[in-house]
């Protein structure tokens, strides 16, 4: 089939690569210019370079403007295939080819439409995620579904691991979808709008830890913000600290969310919306996100006493004026304790 590819970053790269390897005639690759915006600068394999390496014409644009529509018309595609495209596409573009436009979205639609669906699925506690190939329409990830493949989310999976696995679904899903179009056997399934969820674009503030969340949710939150994504962070004594790993404490602790206590051979942070009730009567288990492993603050290493492994002997234990996590006087009791945190400062 004659295919025009719209794509950006590694998702667009993998999609174009699959189209080439499947033997389709890719007559044009449309992509965005390179960007240093945080979520666009990661997973940054170049669609432009891959296309030029294979002699495929390239059109670079921020949006589907009249010039872009004209370039696509002249390419005369049978179908447009889209993956990781950041701007709106008008009906005169997505309805242009005989087979319309297929969009690849890395969630099990109609759930997790919108942005960063794999991260949000992990944060939300989903048991599975996947890839959907659907027809583009005038909504946002709302078109009829053609192909859908799912994968399980394990108890220790990071978002990075899930994203890589999800990208592995692209070639097979594309093969099935394009074969169905070409053979005339495509079966389209409308999305159930009542089941649709939409998640907004992530920004820096979305990585700030909220200690009112249950410990189990915070542990997933840290796994969802794995390298190369912007890390989960909080503040300690006016300094921003990134949390790289966490685990849920074995026991349940009560108190004020965000307070650091010395337990279980290291430090723990009280968390949960009902933590003030203590070990009984809480509808969501109050617990502690206890990061594990070696720790650094600046360039110095410390035996971990609390979530950021800072051992302070004279602090009052009260959160400071910026509502940052406090660190109690009892920290002196855990001198020499094995490191329990992986954390780093952001300078």
């Amino acid at each position: 089939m004659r295919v025009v590819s719209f794509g950006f970053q590694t998702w667009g790269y993998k999609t174009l690569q699959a189209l080439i390897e499947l033997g389709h005639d890719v007559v044009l690759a449309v992509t965005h210019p390179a960007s240093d915006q945080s979520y666009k600068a990661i997973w940054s394999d170049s669609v432009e370079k891959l296309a030029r390496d294979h002699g495929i014409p390239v059109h670079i644009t921020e949006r589907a403007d009249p010039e872009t529509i004209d370039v696509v018309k002249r390419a005369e595609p049978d179908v447009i295939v889209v993956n990781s495209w950041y701007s709106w596409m008008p009906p005169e573009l997505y309805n242009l080819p005989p087979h319309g436009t297929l969009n690849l979205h890395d969630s099990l639609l109609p759930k997790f439409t919108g942005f960063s669906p794999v991260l949000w699925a992990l944060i939300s506690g989903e048991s599975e995620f996947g890839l959907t190939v659907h027809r583009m329409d005038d909504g946002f990830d709302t078109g009829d579904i053609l192909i859908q493949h799912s994968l399980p989310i394990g108890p220790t999976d990071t978002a990075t691991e899930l994203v890589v696995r999800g990208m592995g679904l692209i070639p097979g899903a594309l093969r099935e979808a394009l074969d169905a179009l070409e053979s005339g056997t495509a079966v389209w399934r409308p999305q159930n709008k009542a089941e649709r969820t939409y998640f907004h674009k992530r920004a820096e503030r979305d990585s700030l830890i909220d200690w009112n969340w249950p410990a189990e949710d915070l542990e997933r939150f840290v796994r969802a913000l794995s390298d190369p994504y912007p890390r989960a962070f909080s503040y300690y004594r006016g300094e921003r600290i990134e949390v790289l790993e966490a685990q849920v404490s074995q026991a349940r602790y009560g108190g004020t969310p965000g307070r650091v206590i010395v337990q279980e051979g290291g430090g723990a942070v009280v968390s949960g919306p009902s933590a003030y009730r203590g070990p009984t009567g809480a509808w969501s288990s109050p617990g502690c996100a206890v990061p594990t492993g070696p720790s650094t603050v600046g360039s110095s290493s410390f035996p971990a006493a609390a979530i950021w492994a800072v051992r302070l002997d004279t602090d009052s234990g009260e959160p400071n004026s910026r509502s940052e996590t406090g660190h109690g006087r009892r920290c002196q009791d855990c001198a020499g304790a094995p490191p329990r945190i992986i954390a780093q400062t952001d300078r």
Side-chain angles (χ1 to χ4, degrees):
M1 299 181 75
R2 290 175 61 85
V3 181
V4 168
S5 170
F6 274 71
F8 188 53
Q9 298 175 279
T10 304
W11 292 271
Y13 180 99
K14 295 286 188 182
T15 300
L16 177 58
Q17 185 177 52
L19 289 169
I20 294 168
E21 292 176 354
L22 289 170
H24 291 284
D25 183 13
V26 183
V27 293
L28 176 68
V30 183
T31 189
H32 294 305
S35 172
D36 58 2
Q37 192 270 337
S38 60
Y39 277 86
K40 292 182 180 180
I42 57 181
W43 304 107
S44 56
D45 291 293
S46 173
V47 171
E48 178 187 4
K49 183 178 186 305
L50 178 63
R52 295 197 190 283
D53 286 348
H54 287 82
I56 298 170
V58 177
H59 179 70
I60 300 175
T61 182
E62 288 284 5
R63 59 190 58 84
D65 53 20
E67 179 186 0
T68 301
I69 296 172
D70 183 63
V71 170
V72 174
K73 282 181 180 178
R74 287 188 275 113
E76 299 182 336
D78 297 315
V79 65
I80 295 173
V81 174
V82 179
N83 196 351
S84 188
W85 186 254
Y86 280 82
S87 64
W88 178 73
M89 295 180 69
E92 63 181 303
L93 176 57
Y94 64 70
N95 286 329
L96 191 156
H99 292 291
T101 295
L102 298 179
N103 184 54
L104 279 67
H105 183 76
D106 45 351
S107 82
L108 298 175
L109 294 177
K111 300 178 72 174
F112 299 99
T113 66
F115 299 88
S116 303
V118 177
L119 275 66
W120 286 117
L122 180 52
I123 292 170
S124 299
E126 292 292 303
S127 61
E128 62 178 357
F129 76 112
L131 177 68
T132 300
V133 182
H134 68 97
R135 192 200 316 265
M136 186 172 286
D137 63 9
D138 59 357
F140 201 24
D141 302 324
T142 57
D144 293 349
I145 294 171
L146 178 56
I147 301 293
Q148 196 163 64
H149 291 168
S150 65
L151 291 170
I153 297 177
T156 62
D157 285 336
T158 66
T160 305
E161 293 167 338
L162 297 179
V163 166
V164 171
R165 283 184 223 152
M167 288 179 182
L169 296 174
I170 291 173
L174 262 183
R175 182 181 62 252
E176 291 181 39
L178 295 176
D179 284 353
L181 290 183
E182 200 165 21
S183 64
T185 59
V187 177
W188 301 93
R189 174 167 56 89
Q191 295 190 42
N192 184 345
K193 294 181 180 179
E195 296 178 356
R196 182 175 186 258
T197 58
Y198 172 85
F199 285 78
H200 58 74
K201 186 182 297 185
R202 292 188 61 82
E204 182 180 20
R205 63 181 177 178
D206 298 310
S207 299
L208 177 63
I209 294 171
D210 182 350
W211 297 109
N212 288 294
W213 285 22
E216 293 82 359
D217 292 355
L218 288 177
E219 188 272 337
R220 287 198 314 275
F221 185 74
V222 171
R223 283 192 284 121
L225 301 181
S226 54
D227 185 63
Y229 291 102
R231 293 292 198 161
F233 71 93
S234 191
Y235 289 93
Y236 180 77
R237 304 189 78 180
E239 188 170 23
R240 173 172 161 151
I241 305 294
E242 294 184 343
V243 179
L244 309 186
E245 290 185 14
Q247 69 183 40
V248 178
S249 60
Q250 296 177 10
R252 297 173 64 184
Y253 301 106
T256 302
R259 285 295 298 271
V260 177
I261 57 177
V262 180
Q263 292 287 340
E264 301 187 25
V269 181
V270 177
S271 64
S274 299
Y276 68 93
R277 295 181 183 273
T280 60
W283 61 267
S284 60
S285 173
C288 302
V290 185
T292 58
S295 58
T296 61
V297 177
S299 59
S300 302
S301 296
F302 295 84
I307 193 162
W308 300 305
V310 181
R311 183 164 58 86
L312 303 176
D313 294 343
T314 59
D315 191 8
S316 67
E318 298 300 322
N320 67 21
S321 60
R322 294 183 60 184
S323 298
E324 297 156 5
T325 300
H327 195 290
R329 187 181 298 274
R330 287 190 59 204
C331 293
Q332 59 189 315
D333 298 339
C334 63
R340 297 279 294 171
I341 312 299
I342 292 181
Q344 65 185 26
T345 57
D346 179 63
R347 297 188 182 277

